Amino acid sequence: MKIFLESGCIPDAAMIHAARKRRQKARELGTDYIPIEEQSDEKGKSRLIREEDHDRSDDDDSQDRIDMTVNTEARDKEKRREAFLASQVPIKLSDNESEHENEEEEWEAQQIRKGVTGAQIAAAQQDSMLQQQFTMGMNVNQMMGTGVPLEMVLMPAPPPPPSIQPPDPTKIVPVTPQEVVNRMRSRLENLKEVHRQHQQEQERLEQELQQALKELDMGEIRTPHFAQRFRYYQELRGYVTDLVECLDEKLPLVIKLEQRWLDLYGERSTELMERRRQDTRDQAEEITTASRGQGVRRGPEVEAHVRRATEREGRRARRRRARELASTLPKHIDGMSSDDEVTEQQNLAFKQAKDEIDNDCKDIFSDVLDEYCTVRGIISKLESWRETDMDAYTEAYVSLCIPKMISPIIRLQLVTWNPIMESADIERTKWYNTLLLYALDSKETEESLKRDPDVRLIPSTIEKIVIPKLTSIIEKIWDPMSTSQTLRLVGIINRLIKEYPNLNDTSKQLETLFNAILDKIKAAVENDVFIPIFPKQVWDTKHQFFQRQFAMAVKLLRNLLSWQGLLGDMQLKNLALGSLLNRYLLAGLRVSSPTDALVKANMVMSTLPRAWLQGETIEHLKMFACLIQQLSEQLDQANPAHNEAWEYAKSILKIIKPL
């Protein structure tokens, strides 16, 4: 059995069962060894050992049963089946031998599992079942004759053991000592590499431990500082919360005051513009009535018309006397001055309403501490934060929040700011100087200012607060027919755009402002320009009115062209040249005498920007150039009275360069 196992073969169930029987028999006889084979009798016939023989008592050992079965093949199959069943159901031994038997059975099962796979067992069982079915019918009677139970006869035979050949020593590749040495060296290098990795991991862990201990020590040292910072941020948080609540309560009051001031000035501006337009309608009606020869009628409308005419002529007479007293003024042309005179009663009511607004502005923050209602008080808190913790200051985007925080304060100070009626420079205001000195450092350089988050503080404030205020003034108050208002407005917008780089074509606030300017200009061209065209027989009657209205149109053209460089050239050319010049002024020039028309044309030419007159002829000026050419042909060069008009015509045609 030992030799069989050493050869690498796996014993089958019958051999294992037989070996177990021999071992049991040896224990019962008390022998010190187990024979490999059974001893034969004198006649050479092997003695059949059955399981029933070992199970008998000692009294029956001497009796032998003679097996008279002729079919030895069926008997062998029956023995193998019994051995298989015995291997599946362990034999119950006595109490003192059960433990040893369990160990042997476990060892046998392990050996079987090592040598035989599940697939081999299943294939062997299937072959055994097929063979059993074939021979069962032939041997069932014989098996019944031997006294074997029917259950044992019908039970399938165990599968034959797989034949596993032992390894062939001749096919084994020999291993040289050098290969063994190389493998050992490789194994040693791997172990060294693993050891080196472990050392590195140990060093890293030691460094992390040292760093953790160092951070722990630093944390203990910096704990008082962090506690102080925590208290500071808690106080700052409380201040910001109180400031937001205060501004939320006061902002609606500021907006209401802004609206009251805009309504006050807007109503006056609207009244003056409507009065000017009504005067134009009244004069046109007077001339039309006189040309038709209609008599004077009576009625409320006529009386109101007479009253308006009287007031109109009285205002003109007072302006005329004022110009005569001021001898230094240049020669005046009727229609170039603005009629903005109001009565004393209206002026008194306006002043009283304005004073009420000023007083209300002062009373809004009368119950608030300075640190919550002044620009200096608010930014001082933020400046201390910037000085103590610049990183947190930058990460909190405080520079973007400052314009919003101080917006109600600045808007309150700009409630009565009116740059189109009075010279009011915002650079001289107190809040502007406060923002200018915010975070000032004597050591700062140009490079440090590029990294400063507050370098755009004033430009952002101008864009978000001042520009919207200017837009509201343009929409409500600005009169495009007023030269003084237009020049002040052009000056302040031009200065803001040049000084603050953020006011460019990407600024939405600036775009809204220019759209408001264009809307106001279009309304003025449609409603304030009227040049009467009457028959020749009423020329003397309407002559003064015609001159005044033509001068007013030229004045509006000059005011529009003062926006050149700020508004887009294409839009400005369409309004000033396409609508005002070609539609209205050229019609007035056609009904005038050649000398008078060329004088007026020279006045129109003086208003055109020089930048437009360089290069090729502007498309919108072709009609104007053709008209000048026609008027110059009507002049008499021999007449000395036409010399001035002739010079005007030559200079205009030289500049325009007609095709």
Side-chain angles (χ1 to χ4, degrees), residues 173-330:
V173 179
V175 180
T176 62
Q178 185 62 33
E179 292 180 354
V180 174
V181 172
N182 293 337
R183 293 179 182 178
M184 293 179 64
R185 288 177 178 175
S186 176
R187 179 61 178 170
L188 179 61
E189 292 296 330
N190 293 335
L191 293 176
K192 288 182 179 180
E193 179 65 22
V194 173
H195 179 65
R196 185 180 62 81
Q197 294 177 359
H198 290 170
Q199 286 182 340
Q200 293 178 354
E201 183 69 15
Q202 181 183 3
E203 293 176 357
R204 186 181 63 81
L205 293 176
E206 290 178 354
Q207 293 177 358
E208 291 181 357
L209 178 60
Q210 295 295 330
Q211 184 66 22
L213 294 175
K214 185 183 297 184
E215 292 179 357
L216 181 61
D217 296 337
M218 292 297 296
E220 293 178 354
I221 296 174
R222 300 177 63 182
T223 297
H225 172 71
F226 287 146
Q228 181 181 1
R229 300 306 302 162
F230 177 75
R231 289 192 297 270
Y232 172 76
Y233 281 114
Q234 287 294 101
E235 294 176 358
L236 184 61
R237 178 177 179 274
Y239 170 77
V240 173
T241 303
D242 295 340
L243 177 63
V244 171
E245 292 177 356
C246 175
L247 297 181
D248 287 341
E249 182 180 353
K250 300 297 183 180
L251 183 59
L253 301 178
V254 175
I255 296 175
K256 185 177 180 180
L257 286 176
E258 287 180 339
Q259 192 62 39
R260 285 175 55 189
W261 186 87
L262 288 174
D263 292 340
L264 178 64
Y265 278 83
E267 290 176 0
R268 165 168 282 194
S269 178
T270 303
E271 290 177 358
L272 295 176
M273 287 189 292
E274 185 60 31
R275 187 180 68 182
R276 181 179 63 244
R277 294 167 185 171
Q278 185 62 44
D279 290 341
T280 302
R281 289 192 291 267
D282 290 344
Q283 293 179 83
E285 185 179 356
E286 292 173 2
I287 296 175
T288 304
T289 303
S291 64
R292 293 177 181 177
Q294 298 178 357
V296 180
R297 295 178 298 177
R298 298 290 181 182
E301 295 181 359
V302 177
E303 293 178 358
H305 179 82
V306 173
R307 185 181 67 252
R308 291 195 299 268
T310 303
E311 293 175 354
R312 180 184 69 238
E313 295 301 329
R315 292 192 299 271
R316 291 178 180 176
R318 286 189 289 272
R319 291 198 302 272
R320 191 180 303 110
R321 287 195 298 269
R323 287 193 298 268
E324 292 175 355
L325 294 176
S327 58
T328 57
L329 294 177

Side-chain angles (χ1 to χ4, degrees), residues 439-452:
L440 179 63
D441 187 5
S442 58
K443 299 180 181 180
E444 63 186 10
T445 60
E446 184 177 355
E447 294 297 329
S448 63
L449 286 176
K450 292 180 180 179
R451 299 187 300 269
D452 193 348

Side-chain angles (χ1 to χ4, degrees), residues 225-482:
H225 172 71
F226 287 146
Q228 181 181 1
R229 300 306 302 162
F230 177 75
R231 289 192 297 270
Y232 172 76
Y233 281 114
Q234 287 294 101
E235 294 176 358
L236 184 61
R237 178 177 179 274
Y239 170 77
V240 173
T241 303
D242 295 340
L243 177 63
V244 171
E245 292 177 356
C246 175
L247 297 181
D248 287 341
E249 182 180 353
K250 300 297 183 180
L251 183 59
L253 301 178
V254 175
I255 296 175
K256 185 177 180 180
L257 286 176
E258 287 180 339
Q259 192 62 39
R260 285 175 55 189
W261 186 87
L262 288 174
D263 292 340
L264 178 64
Y265 278 83
E267 290 176 0
R268 165 168 282 194
S269 178
T270 303
E271 290 177 358
L272 295 176
M273 287 189 292
E274 185 60 31
R275 187 180 68 182
R276 181 179 63 244
R277 294 167 185 171
Q278 185 62 44
D279 290 341
T280 302
R281 289 192 291 267
D282 290 344
Q283 293 179 83
E285 185 179 356
E286 292 173 2
I287 296 175
T288 304
T289 303
S291 64
R292 293 177 181 177
Q294 298 178 357
V296 180
R297 295 178 298 177
R298 298 290 181 182
E301 295 181 359
V302 177
E303 293 178 358
H305 179 82
V306 173
R307 185 181 67 252
R308 291 195 299 268
T310 303
E311 293 175 354
R312 180 184 69 238
E313 295 301 329
R315 292 192 299 271
R316 291 178 180 176
R318 286 189 289 272
R319 291 198 302 272
R320 191 180 303 110
R321 287 195 298 269
R323 287 193 298 268
E324 292 175 355
L325 294 176
S327 58
T328 57
L329 294 177
K331 183 180 179 180
H332 177 71
I333 301 176
D334 289 340
M336 288 293 183
S337 61
S338 298
D339 187 7
D340 54 0
E341 181 183 348
V342 295
T343 62
E344 187 67 24
Q345 184 179 0
Q346 291 176 339
N347 195 17
L348 182 61
F350 179 83
K351 187 176 181 303
Q352 184 178 358
K354 182 180 177 182
D355 293 340
E356 290 179 358
I357 295 175
D358 293 339
N359 294 331
D360 292 340
C361 291
K362 297 177 182 178
D363 294 338
I364 285 184
F365 287 105
S366 60
D367 57 343
V368 182
L369 297 176
D370 291 344
E371 59 182 351
Y372 294 96
C373 65
T374 60
V375 176
R376 182 58 191 170
I378 294 174
I379 66 174
S380 61
K381 294 285 186 179
L382 304 177
E383 189 173 11
S384 63
W385 183 10
R386 173 191 167 99
E387 294 175 353
T388 55
D389 195 351
M390 185 62 180
D391 294 337
Y393 178 88
T394 305
E395 293 175 358
Y397 298 100
V398 180
S399 57
L400 300 179
C401 299
I402 291 178
K404 296 181 180 180
M405 297 173 66
I406 63 177
S407 175
I409 312 299
I410 298 177
R411 290 176 63 176
L412 180 62
Q413 297 183 17
L414 293 178
V415 165
T416 59
W417 181 57
N418 191 1
I420 66 174
M421 292 186 179
E422 56 188 13
S423 298
D425 193 359
I426 59 174
E427 284 80 1
R428 298 180 182 275
T429 57
K430 186 176 180 181
W431 62 265
Y432 186 90
N433 293 327
T434 302
L435 295 179
L436 190 63
L437 299 176
Y438 177 71
L440 179 63
D441 187 5
S442 58
K443 299 180 181 180
E444 63 186 10
T445 60
E446 184 177 355
E447 294 297 329
S448 63
L449 286 176
K450 292 180 180 179
R451 299 187 300 269
D452 193 348
D454 295 311
V455 71
R456 298 173 62 90
L457 176 59
I458 294 181
S460 299
T461 304
I462 297 297
E463 180 182 8
K464 296 179 180 179
I465 302 176
V466 177
I467 297 299
K469 175 68 174 179
L470 272 177
T471 304
S472 301
I473 292 174
I474 291 170
E475 294 174 348
K476 293 284 187 178
I477 305 174
W478 177 49
D479 183 8
M481 292 295 297
S482 175

Side-chain angles (χ1 to χ4, degrees), residues 5 17 130 161 169 318 340 593 652:
L5 293 175
H17 185 68
L130 294 175
R318 286 189 289 272
D340 54 0
S593 62
I652 292 173

